[in-house]
Amino acid sequence: MTRPGTGSRDVPPEPAAVLLLLLAIVQGIALVRVTWRLFATARGQRIPVAPQTEAMRGLVSVIVPVLNEGERLAPCLAGLRAQGDAVAEILVVDGGSTDATRQVFDQAAGRDPRLRWIDAPPVPVGWNGKAWNLETGRQHSAPSTRWVLTIDADVRPEADLVSSLLAAAKSGGLQAITVATPQQLADTGDAILHPALLATLVVRYGIPGSIPSRPEEVQANGQCFLIDRAALEAVGGFTGGRRSLIEDVTLGRDLVRKGARLLFAEPEAAGTLLQVAMYARWRETWQGWTRSLPMRDATSGPGWWSRMADMTLVQGMPLPAMLLLNRGSGGSAGGRFLRSVNLAALAMRLGLLIGMRRAYRQPPPAYWLSPLLDPAVVARLWAQALRRDHVWRGRPITRE
């Protein structure tokens, strides 16, 4: 292409076209990184159902941290009571509940002597309340048990949960195993929001089922986290998470840093081992889960920033970019390249949605609309990640 009167001199590209080309290149690099991450983790391990054996008797202390869990605790305790002799004790550690949590516990405790109620001392200044409850439970647990299992009150354990975790830990030579829990969606809004949030984890860290070799690769879920007692004590118990918004991930990173083998994996079959009803309404998911979902703590390094950039470019950008290009900005070579990259990112997102469906129990049709919330979800995670001061259960937490 030439200008009239200038012979064969090339017309310099417009600045906007150059910017579109540069953006397409950067976004394409991020897409390749995410695609490779998904490919590398696609054949991960899962946790099969395994029956209890005599060798498992008395191996596990269960710690259930609670604060105003009167509406959710009963099914959790019922599932724990069904675990059999592998569970030596079930410690319910209360952080100052003012609802019917104690009454729910008392009704269950009359049927099972393994249940013990522990009133945690006031939370020290600067501590995450959940980490304090867990550490209080560890200090009160029987030192003779080999394993410590943390369970949140919103978990609905099936009868073979503990035996299956113990069998998987033994077969894999693991010092810790944490479950990517199947989720029950609260309402239509949650059916759209929750998968969009979950997808940010998969984009940044890959598909569950791998044993990380570096702390920055760790995923962990404190809703169900089995830890070898010796490995737990080697990292100072739960004290490492005292000023963390992600005390479970911080613990997992500490364990891996000390050389522990940790597995974060899904149950082998959908609907087995456990179910989780995390929040009662979508607004609670938006307020609560986005606080911890950035996965940022004092140990986050350069790798954290690159994963967040991948999430932004591959999950948060495609819809806005396509809208921009459709308004007349995509006629240049850079614009066409950018459109191709974003179409590939959207196709990958659809594939993620298909693959993530097994993480939910009978998701409604609204589930398939979750990509529409990707830009808002990515913006929310950045806003939460850059804040230091947060509130959890009415208590202030300053991220270290």
Side-chain angles (χ1 to χ4, degrees):
M1 180 178 180
T2 61
R3 292 175 181 167
T6 61
S8 61
R9 184 180 303 171
D10 291 337
V11 177
E14 297 181 1
V18 174
L19 288 175
L20 290 177
L21 179 60
L22 291 175
L23 179 58
I25 292 172
V26 172
Q27 195 177 11
I29 292 172
L31 181 59
V32 170
R33 282 169 48 86
V34 172
T35 302
W36 172 251
R37 189 175 295 140
L38 297 175
F39 176 79
T41 57
R43 297 174 64 88
Q45 303 178 45
R46 296 197 191 177
I47 306 169
V49 175
Q52 182 172 303
T53 65
E54 183 62 27
M56 296 177 181
R57 181 185 293 271
L59 290 182
V60 180
S61 292
V62 180
I63 302 175
V64 186
V66 296
L67 178 63
N68 293 329
E69 299 287 4
E71 295 183 358
R72 303 195 290 183
L73 184 58
C76 177
L77 295 183
L80 291 174
R81 288 174 45 235
Q83 294 306 307
D85 293 338
V87 173
E89 57 183 356
I90 304 167
L91 310 181
V92 177
V93 186
D94 183 60
S97 295
T98 57
D99 66 351
T101 300
R102 181 59 192 264
Q103 289 88 333
V104 172
F105 169 84
D106 288 340
Q107 291 176 0
R111 307 186 189 102
D112 196 323
R114 295 175 298 175
L115 281 161
R116 291 169 52 199
W117 177 272
I118 298 171
D119 286 307
V123 179
V125 175
W127 268 76
N128 173 328
K130 181 178 178 181
W132 177 246
N133 280 12
L134 290 170
E135 178 60 15
T136 299
R138 183 188 71 85
Q139 294 176 6
H140 284 79
S141 64
S144 59
T145 57
R146 179 182 171 184
W147 297 89
V148 173
L149 173 64
T150 71
I151 291 284
D152 282 0
D154 54 8
V155 174
R156 310 291 185 259
E158 298 294 335
D160 291 321
L161 172 63
V162 171
S163 59
S164 299
L165 294 178
L166 290 172
K170 181 179 180 180
S171 65
L174 306 172
Q175 285 74 52
I177 182 168
T178 174
V179 182
T181 52
Q183 300 287 325
Q184 295 181 12
L185 297 168
D187 51 30
T188 300
D190 203 37
I192 304 174
L193 175 60
H194 199 286
L197 292 169
L198 182 62
T200 68
L201 281 176
V202 182
V203 166
R204 286 177 289 160
Y205 294 93
I207 301 167
S210 301
I211 298 176
S213 58
R214 297 180 296 172
E216 69 173 31
E217 300 170 345
V218 167
Q219 295 188 78
N221 182 7
Q223 292 174 322
C224 183
F225 200 163
L226 181 72
I227 315 133
D228 178 88
R229 183 180 291 275
L232 181 60
E233 293 177 353
V235 298
F238 297 97
T239 60
R242 62 189 180 277
R243 296 191 64 181
S244 173
L245 298 175
I246 48 170
E247 71 289 327
D248 46 5
V249 177
T250 300
L251 172 61
R253 289 171 177 172
D254 289 343
L255 289 166
V256 171
R257 191 175 292 109
K258 284 284 188 177
R261 285 172 56 83
L262 178 149
L263 173 65
F264 173 68
E266 302 170 88
E268 188 172 67
T272 61
L273 301 187
L274 73 172
Q275 293 285 336
V276 174
M278 188 183 295
Y279 295 104
R281 290 168 289 277
W282 72 266
R283 291 182 181 85
E284 296 177 11
T285 304
W286 179 258
Q287 293 293 332
W289 201 18
T290 58
R291 174 183 56 84
S292 59
L293 203 56
M295 300 275 279
R296 189 181 187 193
D297 66 3
T299 68
S300 297
W304 179 86
W305 291 96
S306 67
R307 291 171 193 270
M308 289 289 285
D310 289 343
M311 174 192 72
T312 304
L313 293 165
V314 174
Q315 186 176 349
M317 184 176 291
L319 286 179
M322 294 300 292
L323 289 174
L324 175 66
L325 292 170
N326 287 337
R327 294 185 64 180
S329 303
S332 66
R336 292 191 295 273
F337 184 24
L338 185 63
R339 179 179 285 108
S340 298
V341 170
N342 281 282
L343 285 172
L346 289 172
M348 186 198 69
R349 180 68 173 90
L350 177 60
L352 279 184
L353 203 58
I354 295 171
M356 293 190 325
R357 190 180 183 279
R358 66 174 182 260
Y360 298 95
R361 186 174 184 179
Q362 298 177 338
Y367 168 85
W368 301 99
L369 300 177
S370 65
L372 297 176
L373 290 184
D374 284 350
V377 160
V378 169
R380 173 72 172 180
L381 293 197
W382 272 111
Q384 294 287 69
L386 298 177
R387 288 178 56 192
R388 289 197 65 204
D389 297 322
H390 296 259
V391 175
W392 182 83
R393 298 292 183 92
R395 293 170 175 164
I397 305 175
T398 299
R399 186 185 63 244
E400 193 171 30

